Amino acid sequence: MGLYIEVKYSGDWWGEDPLTETRHETIGDLFRALSGRDHAHPWEALGRCTGKVYVDQDGKAVQVGWVFEARNPEPVNRSDTQPTGLREAWVTVHDAPPTVTRTVHYHPFR
């Protein structure tokens, strides 16, 4: 079972990719792929790492991902108006999809 990632883009190219399962089992393999060091799978690269993503858990900052920066690719269709400036990709790493507990509140008949 692989790690899951969620990506949020900012800068000239903004948006987000939903939580997706990766083929990577370790943080090291995932980082190498996202930073472009895994030459066997270049399409996974998001650019160079410029920082880390943290969340607050019980008053302590815990790293949960990385920030990558790259230039947007050239548009495939030359008539596209897609900007070609810089974009940031904020990646958070998850062990599994979030779980949601459902509570049913039936109304009693009297």
Side-chain angles (χ1 to χ4, degrees), residues 1-8 17-22 24-25 27 30 53 55 63-66 90-99:
M1 179 161 89
L3 295 169
Y4 290 79
I5 62 169
E6 186 174 18
V7 184
K8 295 185 180 177
D17 292 337
L19 192 67
T20 307
E21 185 173 10
T22 68
H24 305 287
E25 300 281 334
I27 294 291
L30 178 61
V53 178
V55 295
Q63 181 185 354
V64 295
W66 307 280
W90 291 69
V91 179
T92 54
V93 182
H94 305 263
D95 288 327
T99 55

Side-chain angles (χ1 to χ4, degrees), residues 22-85:
T22 68
R23 62 182 180 81
H24 305 287
E25 300 281 334
T26 67
I27 294 291
D29 288 343
L30 178 61
F31 181 80
R32 281 187 288 282
L34 296 178
S35 62
R37 295 182 182 148
D38 181 1
H39 299 295
H41 302 90
W43 56 86
E44 294 178 345
L46 293 175
R48 66 183 178 93
C49 183
T50 60
K52 299 175 181 179
V53 178
Y54 293 92
V55 295
D56 182 21
Q57 288 184 345
D58 301 324
K60 294 183 180 181
V62 177
Q63 181 185 354
V64 295
W66 307 280
V67 180
F68 295 94
E69 184 179 70
R71 186 156 303 281
N72 290 334
E74 290 291 328
V76 176
N77 182 353
R78 294 293 178 203
S79 64
D80 284 350
T81 58
Q82 175 179 324
T84 57

